[in-house]
Structure formats: structure tokens, C-alpha cells
Amino acid sequence: MLDYGSGNLHSVSRALAHVGAEVAVTSDAHEVVASDALLIPGVGHFGQCVRALRASGLAAVATDYVATGRPVVGVCVGLQVLFAGSQEDAEPGLAVLPAMVERLPDTVRVPHIGWNTVRWQRPHPYVDGIPDGTHFYFVHSFAPPVDADTVGVTEHGVPFAAAVGRANVFATQFHPEKSGEAGLQLYENVVRAVAA
């Protein structure tokens, strides 16, 4: 798990360990390169997170890791930094995914905090066994649009991508580590796939 000074590191690492992962929370590029999979956490402000990644040298480490084809998972702002950019800040994202993250509409309460349903748009091994319409826990004001990379959709004022997947990259706008059994199932699916 990438430690760049922003993220829900302890609860995510506990959840992963609970489902059998051997977790290393690290800012060391060599340790990242040697790992079987990479998880990018993130909480707070998009621009601060991306700038922290770049200042630590870990932005290049993360994009290089994506290019290896090994599994990469992003969570919350860790999902958002994978995109080209965000309406929250002018700082460019990592551009692993091409879309722009957008602010949720003012017609609903923002930030979007609490449980909401996710409807699966297409199969993905990391959501196997998790029923369509399962509730997950969200805390965010910005989200990616629904597009060809979308795996799961949630609605809060507008439909948005709650989970995305492209090649070896998968990310969630919701917090699996705060989402009870369904979140643990998702992490267990990731761990099982990495170990296979």
C-alpha cells in the first residue's frame, strides 16, 4: 500500500490483512516495485493528494507500476488521482484513466456521506459474488463520470462511476474497508486474484 501521507492506511491495511493479504505500507520505491500488487489510498483533497504523490516521487512509481501489468487498486481519492484531472483542482492527475473527475451537483447534499447502492454495469473478478444493488459506504464531493471503464454505478443527484476497471487497474469511489461484509468480500476477491 502506497504511503504518500494521505490515506486511510490503518483501516485499509487491517481489512486487507483480515482477508489474508500480506500488507506492506510503504513509501519506498524499491518495496513498491517488488510487490505483487499496489493499492493507492487517498482521503481529502484531490490536488493535495496528487501534489503529495509528485513531491514524494511516488507518482512516477505508481504509473510505472501500472505499466507492469500487475494489479493496481485505488480507493476514494486514490481512485480520483488515477484520472486525467478533477474539477476540484487544476493539478493534473496521473492520467491512467482519461476522464475528468466532476463535482456532484448542488441539487443534493454534498459531500455525499453514507451508504448507497452500487449497480454493476459489467462483470469484474473483484466484484464476483457481490449482489447487484449492494450498499457501500461513501464520503466524497467529486466522482468520475459513467463511461466505458465503469464497473459499478451509484446515483447521488447524477449517476457516477462508483467502481472502475481498465486492464490491470481497478478502483472504487466508495470505501470497501468501511463497507462491512461486502467490502471485505471485494478485498478478499482482490487478494485471491493476486495470489492466483
Side-chain angles (χ1 to χ4, degrees):
M1 186 184 315
L2 208 57
D3 181 4
Y4 59 100
S6 176
N8 205 3
L9 300 174
H10 299 300
S11 59
V12 176
S13 60
R14 274 199 311 272
L16 286 165
H18 180 77
V19 297
E22 185 180 320
V23 184
V25 179
T26 186
S27 58
D28 182 272
H30 299 293
E31 197 168 5
V32 172
V33 169
S35 65
D36 294 325
L38 176 62
L39 189 140
I40 305 171
V43 292
H45 187 272
F46 173 90
Q48 289 174 341
C49 287
V50 179
R51 283 188 284 274
L53 278 167
R54 290 202 167 99
S56 63
L58 293 172
V61 172
T63 53
D64 288 350
Y65 194 97
V66 169
T68 70
R70 286 175 287 172
V72 175
V73 176
V75 174
C76 197
V77 181
L79 162 142
Q80 295 179 13
V81 299
L82 293 168
F83 283 84
S86 172
Q87 291 179 348
E88 187 172 18
D89 194 282
E91 184 76 21
L94 302 184
V96 172
L97 299 167
M100 289 289 291
V101 175
E102 300 166 354
R103 181 172 166 79
L104 295 172
D106 293 331
T107 54
V108 290
R109 181 178 291 178
V110 177
H112 174 215
I113 300 175
W115 296 86
N116 206 337
T117 55
V118 176
R119 299 275 174 201
W120 306 125
Q121 298 299 288
R122 58 186 175 92
H124 191 285
Y126 295 172
V127 301
D128 278 356
I130 302 173
D132 192 43
T134 293
H135 285 77
F136 289 91
Y137 191 81
F138 292 83
V139 183
H140 65 117
S141 300
F142 296 80
V146 176
D147 63 15
D149 294 320
T150 302
V151 172
V153 173
T154 294
E155 188 152 335
H156 187 69
V158 293
F160 65 86
V164 298
R166 173 186 280 207
N168 57 314
V169 175
F170 178 86
T172 63
Q173 183 58 70
F174 55 82
H175 287 270
E177 72 282 358
K178 296 180 179 178
S179 297
E181 289 302 315
L184 289 175
Q185 178 68 60
L186 189 151
Y187 279 149
E188 187 174 349
N189 289 345
V190 172
V191 172
R192 193 177 293 137
V194 171

